[in-house]
Amino acid sequence: VRPVGMPRWGLSMTKGQINGWIAEVGDEVAAGDDLVEIETEKVSGVLVSPANGVLRRRLAEKGAWVPVGGLLAVVAGPSVPEEEIDRFVAGFQASYAPEEAGAETVEVGGRAIRYTRQGDRGEPVVLLHGFGGDLGTWLFTLPALAGRHRVHALDLPGHGGSAKSVAPGDLDSLVGTLLGFLAAHRIDRAHLVGHSMGGLVAMAAALRDPARVASLSLIATAGFGAEINACYLDGLAGAVGRRDLTPVLRLLFGSPAAVTRRLVDDVLAYKRLDGVDAALRLLSRELFPGGRQRHVLVEEAARLGLPTLVVWGDRDLVIPPAHASRAPAHARVTVLAGAGHSPHLERPNDVNRLLADFLADVERP
């Protein structure tokens, strides 16, 4: 018997609303099948089944608001008696307490680094966001991987809730932060999942200390070629208001509708923090001088022979999707139709399935 709980999609999420059920009671479902559409104050998404079985019970219907961790449904085998389902539901409800949101900080190299974690078993997975992003970009990925892994997502220096000092702002310093973070948490070896700039950091970390990296999952990654959209880099660093920022953020997605007013307001709030603009400008100058990528690491990283997953959107306007063809010969490569530079946000279920299948195969003896 497996519970289906309300996920936490982002640190600020406390509850979600049922928009509609995709699966009906009595339907056979496989792990990863779409179950229910959920909306929060910030995003909407689809929750998938945690296991193979039958959808035996639904505990919340369309329009209901359910706190994070609250029971939405039960998946179990067809032979499990109804009485056992009843006992499971009663026991869950009796012991349920709303989950507390939380981000933590750890000092790495004299800087405060914000991070969050989910999952308490399996091999460690570390999620690395892109330029101008933060750990919140993994809101759909964290809960999807936490069932089988200990998952950490961190804010790189200059981003999110981490220290805004990034000097010297070069790739080596970002890699040092990542390796220092692993050391602070006594993580000897981790699967690294990186988006855009985060993928570049992941590859560089593998090159510096390959024994610490179990695999690389690279989403619309930097480091595969020199080309990058300078308008995005300069626009994000220079935007001061909603009118400036909105068209910049639209470059991140295959569909302009993905850029909501709430997203624009959240990014503006981040940019108004002391030190953010200077941090973004320094990182841009060091990593992407003259609107080109300084570091093209794909060939060096390929020689390490690490298991590698590459995911791209065919509508990527920041880094050309043609870069996916430069992936290592042994890599798994998927280009998602209709997705832009942020497929893990636009097509989260597809990306989560790719990640879960890849990690399961990497870990299989």
Side-chain angles (χ1 to χ4, degrees), residues 226-231 233-234 284 287-294:
E227 299 85 4
I228 192 168
N229 190 336
C231 293
L233 301 169
D234 296 341
S284 183
L287 300 179
F288 313 113
R292 305 280 286 176
Q293 297 190 48
R294 184 190 297 275

Side-chain angles (χ1 to χ4, degrees), residues 8 51 56 73 77 95 104 113 121 127 143 167 174 177 180-181 185 212 234 287 292 311 318 324 333 345 361:
R8 182 183 300 284
R56 297 290 299 274
S95 61
E104 304 173 70
I113 299 298
R121 58 180 178 172
L127 308 176
L174 294 177
T177 296
F181 180 87
H185 287 88
R212 302 290 291 275
D234 296 341
L287 300 179
R292 305 280 286 176
V311 181
V318 177
V333 181
L345 291 171
D361 288 344

